[in-house]
Structure formats: structure tokens, C-alpha cells
Amino acid sequence: MSTKKQPKTPTVKGPEDWFTGDVYFNAYYSGQQPSRARLNLVRFTPGAHTAWHKHAVGQTLHVTEGIGYVQSRGEGLIELHPGDTVYTPADEWHWHGATEGNFMCHLALWEAPVDGDEPETVWGAKLTADEYPSTT
């Protein structure tokens, strides 16, 4: 087996069930066994954010542009800036996205579970108006 350039993927709009606001992503890498790695570039417009969700094997985010937030259920809000990297452990409910007045882009890295029948990501409810930080 030799080194391969990954095929380019088109930018797609994030599903309304998973996001509030306009979110776009490119799926850069989806590893084939034995690799289970996944890598996406995710672009959030101002105020856009994910619904509550959790990953079977955890998730690492690396912010490339803008200002955003990440928060685990029951924990404090973390503000994110370019160059920041955060890790959310396996099965921890969390959300992330842009601040109200800024775009935010991040690389999202996660793994598929060893058990192919277990979902990589479980999506929950969208944030309530009280859960998303607002300056208005």
C-alpha cells in the first residue's frame, strides 16, 4: 500500500436537525480499517452552533479562525480563539459553535467506535435560548 492523496469533497450545509444557524463543512478524511479517524473542517456563521451531542470515542476541536464557544453539560462555558485545541471525552454531552458576532471555523477530529454497530455521534436536543450565551 502506498501514500494516497485524499479525494476532495464538496462543501455541504449542516443538517437543520444538528445545527442552529448556518453551518458548512467539508469531510476531509474518513479512515479505512484499521484507521477509524475522521476529520472535518466546520464553518459556523455568527451565532450558529451545534445541538447537544456526544461522540462514542470523544472529539478534538482545533480552532482555525474566528471566536467560538464549547461547553459540556453542567460545566462552564469555554471561549475559543484561533490556535485553541479542546478535547471532549467519550460520551460527554456538549455543544460548540460561533459567538453571536463572529464567524468561527474549526477542525473536528474524532474516531469511529470499534464496534461498527455503535453510532459515532448521538445527536440530542437543540440548545434553548437560555443555554446559548447572548449579549442582547
Side-chain angles (χ1 to χ4, degrees):
M1 191 153 130
S2 61
T3 301
K4 287 185 186 179
K5 185 175 178 179
Q6 295 298 301
K8 297 205 185 280
T9 61
T11 301
V12 296
K13 189 166 197 263
E16 287 184 24
D17 290 350
W18 298 354
F19 299 101
T20 296
D22 292 329
V23 177
Y24 299 87
F25 62 90
N26 290 81
Y28 284 160
Y29 180 73
S30 183
Q32 303 301 308
Q33 288 295 338
S35 173
R36 299 183 330 265
R38 310 291 191 246
L39 178 66
N40 286 2
L41 176 64
V42 187
R43 298 173 181 94
F44 296 85
T45 59
H49 53 276
T50 68
W52 288 103
H53 63 287
K54 62 182 182 174
H55 302 278
V57 189
Q59 181 184 52
T60 300
L61 304 176
H62 178 79
V63 178
T64 59
E65 298 178 56
I67 304 172
Y69 299 121
V70 63
Q71 184 175 31
S72 292
R73 192 173 295 283
E75 301 292 326
L77 184 70
I78 299 171
E79 188 171 286
L80 300 170
H81 297 269
D84 288 344
T85 301
V86 294
Y87 174 72
T88 302
D91 293 320
E92 185 166 292
W93 286 99
H94 67 286
W95 69 271
H96 40 94
T99 62
E100 196 172 56
N102 294 278
F103 285 85
M104 194 266 291
C105 300
H106 66 53
L107 292 167
L109 175 66
W110 72 100
E111 292 179 76
V114 174
D115 176 0
D117 293 332
E118 183 180 2
E120 295 177 21
T121 304
V122 174
W123 290 93
K126 290 188 174 185
L127 275 66
T128 65
D130 292 339
E131 290 175 314
Y132 179 80
S134 176
T135 57
T136 58

